Every structure is written in structure tokens, then in C-alpha cells.
């Protein structure tokens, strides 16, 4: 039953001419699906509406071929075929009584039009600005005629939005795209009525809001996405000039690494103070985000009049049913986002988003997976899952919910595998949610039995004779230099000087020592391990063959803050060097470009290069095929890091997939080949 304190979240609200049934608002967010994957997209957005979101928006939606963000997937409303695609999405959203919104988007100097090959339009002659792309192309400096054209294209796109069935149409004036260039005095160097004083710099946005309102003509609401920041007083002056023009303000802050903050650095409700100040300047409803997963925080934001609607991108990805769970009072079932930004990373990689917490995200259409519904098995099997990391926990949960009889065996006293260790590292405490949510679900399921402190051997597995055995025994950091920059081990290695990334956390070195962390992994682990060792009082040097530490963190939006934290902690960083040898208290380094060598004195080297799957049990069982058949075992599967080490999201996905495949072994071949084929005319 719903806690009456949360009732306020379910009060309807008028947004101009339309009404949202509640305060849950899925703000526009990238999906990695875009116009090329309309079925995948419609199914994903539809599940959000089914889960109770009052408003479900698209991602950024290009109004015209001069705004093309290939190879990043984006939506478009260029022509009739786009209308048909979007219709699919709006139908799915309307089916569940939610409103559908579209974020009309104009590129600017952040893009380079790699698909259409038309020069991008900007306010200056300027190199494209996306630092994850660094394309040599530049924008074309816009003239008055371009402004006129863009107004027409925006109006035309708004017309198409209505035809596609949208209830909310956006003017998108932030995130560094063209309209924010107009606002910014550094980028807006125009000397006409669109440049100079603030009144002039807001003119284009004002015109677009007015144009859109005229086109939608009371059939849809007009929203504006806009940034305000306490350190940017002019942003409030600009906001005040537009304050009552749109029907809804979708407010964020000028720093994307706060808005989309990785949980290593940014916690829940980080936008509150910035938004509150703007809220006081408008009579129109305001929505804002802040990785909000706690209903109490949400209520507080509404009561304190910070905002009128609870905006969410990531919390709606991790749990599309978050509103319904609050509505029914099933708060312990909320699958809280951990703020890892793995979703966003994959959009930037040009593939559908995925989620560490929600393995069904992006698989709604292709595999027919659903975050809350799992088909009950027709034939109940006895399944033994070995290992309780993210893969084993997820496999056990799903198998249990399918109705199988599950035994989960874990050698340690505590469940969670790599999550237990990693969540204790600096900044990663929220990662424990991956484990805790699954344990809560497992504890509720009558047909799952958990056996901690149960080290399994091939003999004990054979003895138990379960029909299916799922091996989720994980992986361990290697103690060699084989990785992205080397196919072979250290030329020489003093074995006493090499400690693995697991060992150093399991048995911390007590005496203050000189550590070298050799990061050829390029994600968070090398950096957080270095920070942890520093916290323990050691001297730490991070050696990395790439030009920057935490290179993959570019995609999860943590690279900059991570490097800042590492440097400020007093960790010495050596980039563009490999480690060749570790002997006699010295690590010998060589430059990846010139081969030039240097030496550093150290007590220990920790290679963060690759992980080795723990497969002794699997291999042992496989070598005893006849015996396991004699003992009634039909199938043995290896999943998660034990199959192929990767990010936690991959282990959770593997756990979910393995459970489904126990009932339907053909699914891999059939479903993963299901793709969005273009219509051949
Ligand atoms: P993944 O990411 O694939 O889920 P983890 O490394 O997080 O993998 O978890 C693997 C888990 O398997 C660890 O908790 C580990 O203690 C457990 N484990 C490994 N070998 C055995 C075994 N032989 N018997 C029981 N548990 C095991
Ligand atoms: Fe949250 Fe990570 Fe899932 Fe994104 S991938 S929604 S950040 S848990």
C-alpha cells in the first residue's frame, strides 16, 4: 500500500493544454537507438510508460539534415517516414495513459554532420567541439538567412511532431548545442539583433518558443530545456527574460558532469539549489533531474517548491517501474540506479543503451525481455548456481522467479562477489545496490535456497546431482603485463614485487610502501585502487600506456573528475609508458612511442591489465562428462566473468540471459539475430 506521504507524487498537473497524470517525468535521454532503430526505441519507451511515468520523452530529435550527429544515434523529424517511426513510440506511450514529448534539436559546433556531409551551422568559424570526436571539420558561420531557415525548419518539425502524436514539443536551449551558443557571450559574437546584450542573445530562443506555440496551437505543450547555475548569474537573467513563455521548464545546470554526474563524484539531488533559484522566477511548472531514486527526496523537492515534476533519465533506465513501485508502496523493490553511466557510455559508442542494474534495458524489442515480467517455466528444473557475484545473483533471481528450484552456493560468508570489494573503494559505495537489490528479491523467493561458505568442487557438484549447473565463479586480476598494449609478459619479473589487484585489497600491505599501479585497463579500477592505496598511506605512482588515465571514463563522463581527484590526492601519474620489467626494487618503463626507457624505484607493482576467468571447477566438471551424466546433470554453463571478464553490466546481463536460456536454449541464435532492417523499396 502506498505511503500517504507519497500521494503528492501522484497528483495530476497541467502542462499548458495537456495534463500529466502524475509527477513522474522521463526527461529526454539518449538511447543509442535513434532513427535507425524505431522498433527497439518504441518498445523501450513503451515499457517506461507501462511502469507509470506520466510523461515519456524522446532523445534529441534533429529538425533538419544540417543537424546530424552520426555516428551517435539520434532521432529525427525530417520527413514523413520519421513521422511513421515516431508514431510507433507515441502509440506505445499513449497506450499506458502517459504523455509523449519530443525534444527538437539543432546541432551547432558540437557536431560535424558526418552522415549528411553538410557543413554544420554555428555562430563562428570554429572546429567542432566534441572532445570525444576531435574531427578536423569546422562549422560554417551562420548568416541572417540561416536564422530564417532554422525558424522554418523548426516550425516544420513541430508540425510533424503533432502529426506523430506528440503532446509536448521542446525548444532545446542547452547542452552546448546551437541555442546555447546564442546565449553565451563568448560564442555569440554577432553584431546584429541576435548578438551583444542579453536581450539580443535570448531573441532566437524566444522566437523559436513563439513559433512552436503558434504551430502546436493548443494541441500540445511547449517545453524549454535550459541551464541555470549558481555560479552563472547571467543564466538567471536570461531565464527571467523568457520565464513565462513556455508551458514547462525542463531545467538543468551548465556543467554536464554534475547533471549526468557519475556517482563517484555526484550524489542524489545535486541540482536542487540551482533549480530552486530559477523556480522563484517563473509561474510555469518546472521539471528537473538529479538521479532521484528516493521517494522521500522526491516529495521533499515538491514540498519545498524546488520543482513541480520529478525528472529522471537514469533512474527510469535502471527501473522503468519506479513510479508504480512507489504507488503500490513496494519501495524495497525499486532497482536504484548506481550512477555508473554505463548507459550513457554505450550511446556514445553508437549502440543501444544498457544498464548495470537493469539487464532488460535495450532488449525489450529484440529479446522481448521485460523488467518486471518473467515467463513462468513449463518444466521446473533443479538448478545449482555457483558464485554469488552479479552474474550468479542475477541468474539465481531470474531462475527463481521463473519457478525453477534454485540452490545458490558461495564460498565466502558474504554474498556479492566483486561488488563487495569494489563498493568499498573510494566513491563506489552506491555500487552495493547491485547486490542488495538482488538479495532482497532472492530472499522473497521461496524456491531459492542460499548456501554461503560453501566452496564447491567437482565432487560436491556431482554429489548434489542438480540437472543444471550454472558456474559464475568470476575472474581474478592477472599478475602479468598482457593487456591492450602488450601481448607478452614482463621481460623479467621479481615475483615478490608483483601483487594482483585482488590480493592487495584482500590482504592490505601494512608497512608504508612504494606502489606502482600499472593501468592498462583504462577504466575506473586503476584509479580507484591508486586512491585507496594512497588513503592507506602508501606512496603511489600510476603508470599508463595511454595518453590519459581512465580513457574509457570519457564515455562514462568520469575521466576529467577522476584525473583531477588522482592528481589532487598526490598520486604521481606517468602516461604513455609501458612497464617492461620489475626487478631489484625497480620498475623499468619504456615510452610507447619512442621506446625511451626510465626507471622508478618501488616495492610493489600491481598490474591492472586483464582478468583471468576462474574456471577450474568448470574445466574439471567438463573433463568428467560421463560422470556428470551418470549423476543426472544435463547441462553445465559458464557465465559472467567466468565466461569472459567485462564490466558489471555484462555480468548481470549474462546472468539474466543464462536463466532464460535454460528454458529456451535456441534464444541466442534466434533473438540476437533479430535486427532492425531498413525497409527496402
Ligand atoms: P561475476 O562478476 O561473474 O558475477 P564475481 O567475481 O563477482 O563474478 O563473483 C564470483 C563469485 O564466485 C565470488 O563471490 C567467489 O567467491 C565465488 N566462487 C568462486 N569459486 C567458487 C567455488 N568453487 N564455489 C563457490 N563459490 C565460488
Ligand atoms: Fe544508472 Fe548505471 Fe543503469 Fe545508467 S547504467 S541507469 S547509471 S545503473
Amino acid at each position: 500500500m502506498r505511503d500517504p506521504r507519497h500521494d503528492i507524487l501522484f497528483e495530476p498537473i497541467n502542462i499548458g493544454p495537456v495534463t500529466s497524470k502524475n509527477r513522474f517525468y522521463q526527461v529526454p535521454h539518449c538511447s543509442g537507438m535513434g532513427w535507425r532503430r524505431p522498433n527497439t526505441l518504441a518498445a523501450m519507451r513503451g515499457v517506461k510508460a507501462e511502469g507509470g511515468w506520466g510523461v515519456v520523452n524522446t532523445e534529441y530529435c534533429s529538425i533538419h539534415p544540417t543537424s546530424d550527429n552520426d555516428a551517435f544515434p539520434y532521432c529525427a523529424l525530417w520527413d514523413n517516414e520519421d513521422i511513421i517511426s515516431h508514431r510507433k513510440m507515441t502509440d506505445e506511450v499513449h497506450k499506458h495513459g502517459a504523455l509523449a514529448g519530443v525534444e527538437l534539436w539543432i546541432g551547432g559546433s558540437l557536431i560535424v554532420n558526418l552522415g549528411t556531409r553538410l557543413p554544420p551551422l554555428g555562430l563562428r568559424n570554429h572546429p567542432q567541439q566534441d572532445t570525444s570526436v576531435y574531427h578536423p571539420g569546422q562549422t560554417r558561420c551562420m548568416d541572417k538567412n540561416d536564422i530564417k531557415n532554422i525558424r522554418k525548419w523548426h516550425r516544420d518539425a513541430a508540425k510533424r511532431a503533432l502529426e506523430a502524436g506528440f503532446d509536448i514539443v521542446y525548444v532545446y536551449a542547452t547542452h552546448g548545442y546551437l541555442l546555447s551558443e546564442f546565449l553565451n557571450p563568448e560564442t555569440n559574437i554577432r553584431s546584429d539583433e541576435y548578438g551583444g546584450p542579453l536581450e539580443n542573445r535570448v531573441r532566437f530562443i524566444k522566437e523559436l518558443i513563439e513559433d512552436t506555440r503558434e504551430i502546436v496551437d493548443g494541441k500540445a505543450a511547449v517545453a524549454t530545456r535550459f541551464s541555470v547555475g549558481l555560479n552563472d548569474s547571467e543564466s538567471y537573467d536570461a531565464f527571467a527574460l523568457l520565464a513565462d513563455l513556455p508551458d514547462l521548464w525542463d531545467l538543468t545546470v551548465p556543467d554536464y558532469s554534475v547533471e549526468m554526474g557519475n556517482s563517484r563524484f555526484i550524489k542524489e539531488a545535486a541540482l536542487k539549489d540551482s533549480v530552486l533559484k530559477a523556480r522563484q522566477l517563473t509561474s510555469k511548472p518546472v521539471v528537473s533531474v538529479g538521479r532521484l531514486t528516493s521517494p522521500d527526496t522526491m516529495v521533499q523537492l515538491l514540498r519545498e517548491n524546488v520543482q513541480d515534476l520529478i525528472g529522471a533519465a537514469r533512474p527510469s533506465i535502471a527501473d522503468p517501474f519506479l513510479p508504480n513501485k512507489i504507488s503500490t508502496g513496494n519501495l524495497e523493490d525499486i532497482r536504484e540506479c548506481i550512477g555508473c553511466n554505463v548507459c550513457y557510455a554505450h550511446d556514445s559508442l553508437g549502440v543501444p543503451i544498457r544498464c548495470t542494474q537493469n539487464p532488460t534495458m535495450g532488449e525489450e524489442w529484440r529479446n522481448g525481455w521485460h523488467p518486471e515480467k518473467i515467463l513462468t517455466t513449463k518444466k521446473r528444473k533443479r538448478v545449482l548456481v555457483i558464485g554469488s557475484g552479479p552474474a550468479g545473483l542475477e541468474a539465481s533471481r531470474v531462475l527463481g522467479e521463473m519457478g525453477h528450484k534454485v540452490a545458490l552456493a558461495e564460498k565466502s560468508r558474504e554474498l556479492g562477489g566483486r561488488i563487495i570489494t569494489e563498493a568499498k573503494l573510494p566513491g563506489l559505495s552506491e555500487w552495493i545496490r547491485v547486490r542488495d537489490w538482488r538479495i532482497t528479491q532472492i530472499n522473497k523467493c521461496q524456491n531459492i535456497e542460499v548456501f554461503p561458505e560453501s566452496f564447491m568442487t567437482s565432487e560436491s557438484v556431482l554429489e548434489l546431482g542438480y540437472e543444471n549447473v550454472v558456474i559464475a565463479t568470476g575472474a581474478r586480476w592477472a599478475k602479468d603485463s598482457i593487456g591492450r598494449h602488450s601481448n607478452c609478459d614482463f621481460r623479467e619479473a621479481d615475483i615478490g614485487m608483483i601483487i594482483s589487484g585482488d590480493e592487495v585489497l584482500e590482504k592490505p600491505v601494512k608497512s608504508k610502501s612504494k606502489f606502482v599501479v600499472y593501468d592498462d585497463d583504462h577504466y575506473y579500477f586503476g584509479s580507484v585502487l591508486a586512491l585507496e592505496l594512497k588513503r592507506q598511506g602508501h606512496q603511489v605512482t600510476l603508470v599508463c600506456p595511454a595518453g590519459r588515465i581512465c580513457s574509457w571514463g570519457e564515455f562514462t563522463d568520469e575521466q576529467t573528475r577522476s584525473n583531477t581527484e588522482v592528481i589532487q590526492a598526490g598520486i604521481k601519474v606517468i602516461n604513455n609508458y609501458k612497464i617492461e620489467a620489475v626487478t631489484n626494487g625497480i620498475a623499468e618503463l619504456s615510452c610507447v612511442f619512442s621506446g625511451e626507457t626510465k626507471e622508478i624505484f618501488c616495492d610493489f607493482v600491481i598490474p591492472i591489465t586483464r582478468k583471468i576467468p576462474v574456471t577450474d571447477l568448470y574445466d574439471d566438471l567438463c573433463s568428467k562428462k560421463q560422470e556428470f551424466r551418470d549423476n543426472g546433470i544435463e547441462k553445465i554453463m559458464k557465465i559472467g566473468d567466468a565466461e569472459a571478464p567485462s564490466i558489471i553490466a555484462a555480468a548481470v546481463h549474462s546472468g539474466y540471459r543464462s536463466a532464460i536460456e535454460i528454458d529456451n536454449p535456441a534464444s541466442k541464435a534466434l533473438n540476437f539475430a533479430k535486427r532492425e532492417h531498413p525497409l527496402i523499396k
Side-chain angles (χ1 to χ4, degrees):
M1 220 183 64
R2 179 155 88 215
D3 183 333
R5 284 180 308 135
H6 301 151
D7 285 351
I8 187 175
L9 297 168
F10 295 89
E11 287 173 8
I13 181 168
N14 294 334
I15 304 173
V18 297
T19 304
S20 170
K21 64 179 176 184
N22 61 30
R23 304 304 175 99
F24 293 95
Y25 189 103
Q26 182 243 277
V27 294
H29 73 73
C30 302
S31 67
M33 298 164 194
W35 65 267
R36 285 199 170 84
R37 296 182 175 104
N39 294 297
T40 311
L41 188 54
M44 181 270 283
R45 302 280 186 211
V47 167
K48 306 258 201 116
E50 185 190 349
W53 296 87
V55 180
V56 176
N57 280 285
T58 61
E59 55 258 69
Y60 61 152
C61 180
S62 167
I63 59 163
H64 186 265
T66 47
S67 290
D68 147 45
N69 212 13
D70 255 357
F72 301 119
Y74 60 96
C75 277
L77 262 173
W78 296 352
D79 56 25
N80 284 335
E81 288 184 22
D82 285 324
I83 296 177
I84 297 168
S85 296
H86 283 289
R87 246 295 162 207
K88 249 184 149 27
M89 179 265 192
T90 57
D91 284 349
E92 286 300 322
V93 169
H94 290 153
K95 222 188 261 177
H96 302 285
L99 299 174
V102 59
E103 184 185 43
L104 298 185
W105 164 73
I106 318 161
S109 68
L110 267 180
I111 59 161
V112 72
N113 292 347
L114 292 175
T116 60
R117 303 180 70 175
L118 297 170
L121 302 174
L123 285 185
R124 297 170 297 170
N125 292 307
H126 198 277
Q128 69 80 27
Q129 278 182 305
D130 187 338
T131 52
S132 70
V133 179
Y134 277 133
H135 193 281
Q138 294 198 183
T139 46
R140 170 164 74 70
C141 187
M142 287 166 55
D143 58 24
K144 269 273 188 54
N145 206 38
D146 291 317
I147 293 187
K148 226 170 83 193
N149 284 337
I150 290 177
R151 284 185 66 178
K152 179 175 181 320
W153 299 334
H154 203 277
R155 291 168 72 97
D156 290 347
K159 269 186 222 155
R160 289 192 276 270
L162 279 187
E163 279 185 61
F166 286 107
D167 312 287
I168 300 174
V169 182
Y170 266 71
V171 174
Y172 183 13
T174 182
H175 290 156
Y177 294 119
L178 186 70
L179 299 186
S180 18
E181 284 183 50
F182 271 88
L183 285 170
N184 183 345
E186 284 176 5
T187 52
N188 185 345
I189 51 164
R190 298 184 71 93
S191 53
D192 60 8
E193 68 269 33
Y194 291 99
L198 187 60
E199 288 74 11
N200 285 359
R201 283 182 274 126
V202 299
R203 187 181 308 280
F204 192 34
I205 297 170
K206 197 168 167 213
E207 287 173 350
L208 289 173
I209 296 172
E210 285 164 354
D211 287 348
T212 311
R213 176 177 302 292
E214 201 183 302
I215 294 294
V216 300
D217 193 24
K219 296 183 203 74
V222 180
T224 301
R225 207 172 199 187
F226 198 84
S227 290
V228 282
L230 293 175
N231 296 330
D232 178 4
S233 63
E234 202 192 60
S235 65
Y236 294 97
D237 299 337
F239 179 81
L241 291 171
L242 303 165
D244 288 329
L245 277 186
D247 298 313
L248 172 76
W249 282 104
D250 179 342
L251 292 184
T252 182
V253 290
D255 184 346
Y256 201 58
S257 76
V258 173
E259 176 189 349
M260 187 65 195
N262 190 292
S263 62
R264 279 179 65 191
F265 312 105
I266 305 290
K267 302 300 172 193
E268 190 179 36
L271 281 62
K272 185 180 164 186
D273 297 340
S274 299
V275 173
L276 177 61
K277 189 170 169 192
R279 179 74 194 84
Q280 290 154 355
L281 301 172
T282 178
S283 63
K284 303 292 176 171
V286 167
V287 61
S288 188
V289 294
R291 207 160 50 77
L292 305 166
T293 56
S294 147
D296 291 343
T297 308
M298 295 175 192
V299 167
Q300 197 185 354
L301 290 170
L302 296 191
R303 292 232 179 271
E304 290 177 6
N305 208 18
V306 177
Q307 58 203 71
D308 306 279
L309 292 121
I310 301 303
R314 289 170 291 174
S316 75
I317 293 170
D319 196 339
F321 275 61
L322 186 146
N324 282 0
K325 288 174 185 173
I326 298 174
S327 176
T328 52
N330 295 99
L331 304 188
E332 78 283 6
D333 292 334
I334 295 174
R335 193 163 29 195
E336 287 183 287
C337 165
I338 66 162
C340 59
N341 288 356
V342 157
C343 44
Y344 173 63
H346 286 82
D347 170 76
S348 301
L349 292 166
V351 290
I353 52 172
R354 57 219 54 203
C355 175
T356 304
Q357 276 285 53
N358 173 12
T360 67
M361 176 49 57
E363 302 286 4
E364 300 85 350
W365 177 77
R366 176 170 69 173
N367 271 307
W369 293 358
H370 189 282
E372 301 301 315
K373 297 176 196 159
I374 296 170
L375 275 185
T376 308
T377 185
K378 291 197 184 88
K379 188 170 179 281
R380 191 175 212 229
K381 292 178 179 155
R382 293 168 70 240
V383 189
L384 173 64
V385 179
I386 302 164
S388 71
L393 285 176
E394 181 67 2
S396 304
R397 171 189 85 82
V398 181
L399 286 162
E401 287 179 21
M402 288 165 79
H404 294 294
K405 185 170 165 38
V406 183
L408 170 61
E410 164 58 52
K411 74 173 178 192
S412 307
R413 184 174 297 180
E414 209 183 338
L415 305 186
R418 63 183 281 189
I419 297 286
I420 306 169
T421 336
E422 293 191 25
K424 288 182 190 140
L425 294 173
L428 298 186
S429 59
E430 286 183 53
W431 292 31
I432 204 70
R433 293 172 172 181
V434 174
R435 178 196 75 169
D436 290 351
W437 182 79
R438 288 175 172 78
I439 291 182
T440 305
Q441 303 306 309
I442 285 171
N443 287 342
K444 284 189 186 184
C445 192
Q446 302 288 326
N447 41 317
I448 308 176
E449 272 185 290
V450 180
F451 300 95
E453 293 184 278
S454 303
F455 180 78
M456 301 303 291
T457 60
S458 59
E459 288 75 28
S460 53
V461 174
L462 288 170
E463 207 175 296
L464 288 170
Y466 275 67
E467 291 162 88
N468 284 267
V469 181
V470 177
I471 299 197
T473 43
R476 309 266 300 168
W477 286 107
K479 291 171 85 165
D480 58 37
S481 63
I482 298 170
R484 286 165 179 80
H485 285 79
S486 175
N487 283 324
C488 43
D489 199 358
F490 299 115
R491 192 186 66 240
E492 246 183 299
D494 182 342
I495 217 65
M497 285 180 71
I498 308 276
I499 309 188
S500 85
D502 298 297
E503 288 165 358
V504 77
L505 293 172
E506 285 157 6
K507 277 198 208 117
V509 174
K510 295 241 166 59
S511 56
K512 302 296 171 234
S513 308
K514 288 193 186 103
F515 276 94
V516 171
V517 176
Y518 179 43
D519 188 356
D520 198 13
D521 175 56
H522 310 282
Y523 192 18
Y524 62 92
F525 193 78
S527 301
V528 292
L529 179 62
L531 287 162
E532 171 63 16
L533 292 170
K534 191 74 196 169
R535 198 187 59 77
Q536 290 173 12
H538 302 293
Q539 262 187 49
V540 188
T541 303
L542 250 171
V543 175
C544 177
R548 280 190 189 182
I549 307 279
C550 192
S551 288
W552 204 70
E554 168 84 39
F555 298 113
T556 52
D557 213 4
E558 66 189 292
Q559 187 193 50
T560 303
R561 283 178 185 262
S562 181
N563 277 294
T564 307
E565 190 182 23
V566 161
I567 292 163
Q568 286 177 346
I571 293 164
K572 188 172 175 210
V573 174
I574 302 177
N575 286 116
N576 294 322
Y577 275 81
K578 295 196 289 181
I579 300 186
E580 300 288 353
V582 182
T583 49
N584 302 323
I586 289 171
E588 183 192 313
L589 277 50
S590 76
C591 173
V592 292
F593 302 116
S594 66
E596 181 197 32
T597 58
K598 62 164 111 177
E599 292 182 342
I600 44 179
F601 296 101
C602 58
D603 300 307
F604 302 107
V605 170
I606 308 175
I608 304 301
T609 48
R610 61 171 178 154
K611 281 184 166 181
I612 309 291
V614 177
T615 60
D616 356 354
L617 176 58
Y618 178 81
D619 297 339
D620 209 12
L621 281 167
C622 288
S623 69
K624 297 176 179 163
K625 268 219 166 80
Q626 196 49 50
E627 278 177 69
F628 79 63
R629 290 218 175 99
D630 292 347
N631 284 273
I633 300 174
E634 287 171 9
K635 194 171 178 187
I636 300 180
M637 301 165 93
K638 190 168 58 168
I639 69 164
D641 287 348
E643 185 187 21
S646 186
I647 55 176
I648 295 166
V652 172
H653 184 266
S654 169
Y656 190 97
R657 179 162 57 79
S658 66
I660 301 292
E661 282 174 11
I662 280 193
D663 270 10
N664 179 15
S667 69
K668 208 187 295 183
L670 293 178
N671 295 354
F672 285 87
K674 185 173 166 188
R675 287 161 294 152
E676 302 246 19
H677 286 286
L679 191 65
I680 312 291
K681 289 181 188 150

